[in-house]
Amino acid sequence: MTWEETILFIREQPEYKDLVALSYLGKDLKSNVERFKASKEFEETVKIIKDFAPNATSILDIGAGNGISSVSFALSGFEVTVIEPDTSVTVGCGAIEILKKDIGLSNLSIINSYGEKLPFGNGLFDIVYARQAMHHAAHLGTFINEAGRVLKPGGLLLTVRDHVIFGDEDRKEFLETHPLQKFYGGENAFTPKQYLSAIMNAGLVVKKHLKYYDSIINYFPVTASEVNNTAKLMKENFRQSMQKRFGSWVVNFPFLQLFELISRIKNGEWTDERRIPGRMNSFIALKGTL
Ligand SMILES: C[S@@+](CC[C@H](N)C(=O)[O-])C[C@H]1O[C@@H](n2cnc3c(N)ncnc32)[C@H](O)[C@@H]1O
């Protein structure tokens, strides 16, 4: 199935109702945009833009899909250009055209192309943004080089929610557990090193690498308090399993603390992103400023 066919199919399957809603892939294009624009993720995205590109007016949104971010940026007053290879009215340029017309947006241009082939001159945009798109690049290096090329000097590259893997086994687990991979087979991921090298090789300066638990942009729709609760729950589960295994004496100082420390050294922090298959990361980089 294509990506569009997959989305049309899962929209009709009750077990995918939540996934469709949480991925802003419902039939009602305007409602997808409204929910995304009101989300904590978008709120946090706007904060990053204010911090790293306070005077920005133009945004290139690469791999914009059904337009949730492009239209949200346009409604927030930015001059937005979309690059999207899919032409469909479900998950591609066609959907964004419909939104543009329905809402009456004059500050949104839609171009059917790939991130690896941007039909623009150099140094045109204040911001290049890509949401869940960079990991789909057929040529990661070219994708980032092109993003860097079209950025103005000092411009911001903001790539969000890209799948990260740490090796072959991890990649296998990610692909096996991704809920839609079995339908369309188009998922992909790179290592943090591959993303970071590609960004640096394009002459950009990485300002922040937001790992999964560093930002709600990555872990949304999970909330910050759910993240804290998960950590508490894992700690409690660990305490209980140790008690079960060794008896209640184990809770007495310093044994449990020692076991906890060993477990954290061995398995990572309670909220270690390595525990989440295909965890998403985001990157903030500037063109040519140290
Ligand atoms: C998971 S969707 C994300 C869509 C949208 N950014 C969002 O967050 O809802 C990935 C998008 O990247 C697009 N894409 C795939 N390969 C691409 C490439 N090489 N360059 C630009 N976009 C690409 C797909 O067509 C798709 O719309």
Side-chain angles (χ1 to χ4, degrees):
M1 282 194 215
T2 63
W3 177 236
E4 182 187 24
E5 285 162 352
T6 301
I7 301 313
L8 290 172
F9 173 72
I10 63 167
R11 276 182 187 167
E12 303 307 318
Q13 313 303 313
E15 67 268 36
Y16 289 100
K17 190 168 169 257
D18 289 347
L19 179 70
V20 168
L22 291 172
S23 311
Y24 309 102
L25 286 166
K27 258 182 217 159
D28 185 338
L29 296 171
K30 260 199 208 169
S31 153
N32 296 332
V33 171
E34 279 160 12
R35 287 185 303 106
F36 178 74
K37 190 165 180 287
S39 70
K40 285 269 171 217
E41 181 196 330
F42 190 65
E43 189 184 311
E44 205 49 40
T45 302
V46 170
K47 263 192 213 155
I48 291 175
I49 289 177
K50 282 199 178 128
D51 283 352
F52 289 92
N55 302 317
T57 56
S58 57
I59 299 191
L60 174 66
D61 186 356
I62 303 183
N66 65 358
I68 50 165
S69 49
S70 329
V71 175
S72 295
F73 285 132
L75 288 170
S76 306
F78 290 96
E79 193 64 43
V80 181
T81 306
V82 159
I83 284 288
E84 171 52 55
D86 189 310
T87 54
S88 75
V89 292
T90 312
V91 287
C93 295
I96 312 178
E97 288 287 0
I98 293 172
L99 282 164
K100 177 179 170 165
K101 195 162 156 255
D102 283 2
I103 303 172
L105 293 168
S106 55
N107 54 340
L108 178 65
S109 317
I110 303 155
I111 297 169
N112 175 224
S113 187
Y114 285 86
E116 288 90 337
K117 203 167 177 245
L118 298 178
F120 311 112
N122 299 346
L124 281 183
F125 300 95
D126 296 314
I127 298 173
V128 173
Y129 169 89
R131 180 180 188 270
Q132 299 183 177
M134 177 169 66
H135 61 269
H136 289 287
H139 302 282
L140 183 62
T142 314
F143 185 103
I144 306 285
N145 279 343
E146 277 292 86
R149 182 181 66 75
V150 302
L151 266 179
K152 287 182 187 168
L156 167 68
L157 172 71
L158 177 57
T159 61
V160 300
R161 295 173 65 91
D162 280 299
H163 291 297
V164 157
I165 38 136
F166 297 106
D168 292 344
E169 268 308 301
D170 189 37
R171 179 187 176 80
K172 193 165 160 258
E173 191 188 357
F174 158 55
L175 294 177
E176 279 169 7
T177 53
H178 190 287
L180 302 181
Q181 174 69 358
K182 60 179 174 285
F183 298 122
Y184 86 113
E187 271 312 320
N188 195 22
F190 295 93
T191 63
K193 197 172 164 213
Q194 285 174 312
Y195 289 122
L196 288 166
S197 309
I199 295 172
M200 289 186 284
N201 289 342
L204 303 169
V205 179
V206 177
K207 288 292 173 180
K208 273 193 183 167
H209 169 194
L210 298 171
K211 295 182 184 172
Y212 184 70
Y213 286 113
D214 291 342
S215 172
I216 197 162
I217 290 182
N218 297 323
Y219 59 71
F220 189 83
V222 175
T223 63
S225 64
E226 277 167 347
V227 167
N228 287 334
N229 288 342
T230 304
K232 274 192 210 144
L233 194 72
M234 287 180 77
K235 198 171 170 179
E236 188 47 37
N237 286 347
F238 176 78
R239 179 181 284 259
Q240 284 177 14
S241 75
M242 295 305 277
Q243 248 180 291
K244 226 174 173 179
R245 209 163 141 197
F246 297 111
S248 53
W249 63 271
V250 85
V251 292
N252 295 325
F253 181 82
F255 302 110
L256 189 66
Q257 282 88 342
L258 184 65
F259 286 142
E260 270 181 22
L261 186 67
I262 293 168
S263 166
R264 282 160 70 180
I265 290 169
K266 226 171 114 197
N267 305 316
E269 290 300 312
W270 303 118
T271 49
D272 182 355
E273 64 171 358
R274 286 175 188 256
R275 297 180 196 270
I276 316 274
R279 75 294 296 160
M280 289 188 264
N281 283 193
S282 301
F283 298 88
I284 300 170
L286 293 178
K287 181 167 175 175
T289 32
L290 285 169

